[in-house]
Amino acid sequence: MNFQRGRRQEEPEINLIPLIDIMLVLIIFLVLTTTFSKVSGLEINLPTGEAQPAETLPDEIDLAVSATGDILVNRQPVGGKDIEAIAAALGRAVPAGKDEPVVVINADAKAAHQSVINAMQAAQRAGLSRITFAVQAPPQ
C-alpha cells in the first residue's frame, strides 16, 4: 500500500531572510562591543604675525589676579575681592585727561575663573571697555 500516492514531495526551500537577520544582529553586536584605540584630536595651526612696534604706547592699567584670588591694581593691593572694591580701585587708577586706558589682566594659571570674571566685570563697571589678557610665550 502506498499512502503517499496523492501527495507530491515538496522541494526543499532555502529561506535567506532569517539568515540575513541573524547576520545583521551579529554585525551590530560586534560594532557596539568593539573598542577603538585611536584617540582623535583636533589639530590647530595658529597664525603668526608681525607688526611694527607702536610709536606711542597706550596707557595701561595692570590688574593682577593671584592664585589665591588676591587682586592688585598697578601693583597696589585692593582692599577686597568683590566687584565694587575692584571697580573703585580701577577708577582711581585711570589717569586724568588721558584716553581710555587698556586694562591688562595678568591672571595666575591656577587662579579661579570666577576671580578673572569679577575683574572683567569690575572693569566694565568702571567704564573701561578696552581689556586684554597677558599671556606667557612658550619657551623656544
Side-chain angles (χ1 to χ4, degrees), residues 68-119:
T68 59
D70 296 326
I71 307 289
L72 292 103
V73 174
N74 288 338
R75 300 182 185 208
Q76 300 297 321
V78 176
K81 296 180 182 180
D82 60 317
I83 297 171
E84 297 302 325
I86 301 168
L90 286 171
R92 290 190 300 269
V94 174
K98 297 278 185 160
D99 290 338
E100 182 180 358
V102 176
V103 178
V104 180
I105 298 177
N106 293 303
D108 189 275
K110 297 185 193 254
H113 185 70
Q114 186 62 47
S115 299
V116 177
I117 297 298
N118 287 347

Side-chain angles (χ1 to χ4, degrees), residues 117-138:
I117 297 298
N118 287 347
M120 291 172 60
Q121 287 179 340
Q124 182 183 17
R125 284 200 186 161
L128 304 170
S129 61
R130 296 173 59 192
I131 301 172
T132 188
F133 292 92
V135 293
Q136 181 177 1

Side-chain angles (χ1 to χ4, degrees):
M1 294 177 108
N2 191 358
F3 292 109
Q4 294 183 358
R5 185 181 297 180
R7 293 186 184 171
R8 293 186 320 190
Q9 195 171 22
E10 295 182 18
E11 291 185 27
E13 180 182 333
I14 298 177
N15 194 351
L16 292 178
I17 294 175
L19 179 66
I20 292 171
D21 289 344
I22 290 172
M23 292 303 293
L24 285 175
V25 168
L26 286 174
I27 289 172
I28 291 171
F29 176 75
L30 290 175
V31 166
L32 291 178
T33 58
T34 302
T35 58
F36 299 101
S37 62
K38 182 180 179 184
V39 178
S40 62
L42 181 63
E43 287 188 35
I44 298 175
N45 294 324
L46 296 176
T48 58
E50 294 181 20
Q52 298 295 328
E55 293 178 13
T56 60
L57 295 175
D59 293 326
E60 292 181 352
I61 298 175
D62 183 40
L63 194 149
V65 181
S66 70
T68 59
D70 296 326
I71 307 289
L72 292 103
V73 174
N74 288 338
R75 300 182 185 208
Q76 300 297 321
V78 176
K81 296 180 182 180
D82 60 317
I83 297 171
E84 297 302 325
I86 301 168
L90 286 171
R92 290 190 300 269
V94 174
K98 297 278 185 160
D99 290 338
E100 182 180 358
V102 176
V103 178
V104 180
I105 298 177
N106 293 303
D108 189 275
K110 297 185 193 254
H113 185 70
Q114 186 62 47
S115 299
V116 177
I117 297 298
N118 287 347
M120 291 172 60
Q121 287 179 340
Q124 182 183 17
R125 284 200 186 161
L128 304 170
S129 61
R130 296 173 59 192
I131 301 172
T132 188
F133 292 92
V135 293
Q136 181 177 1
Q140 296 188 16

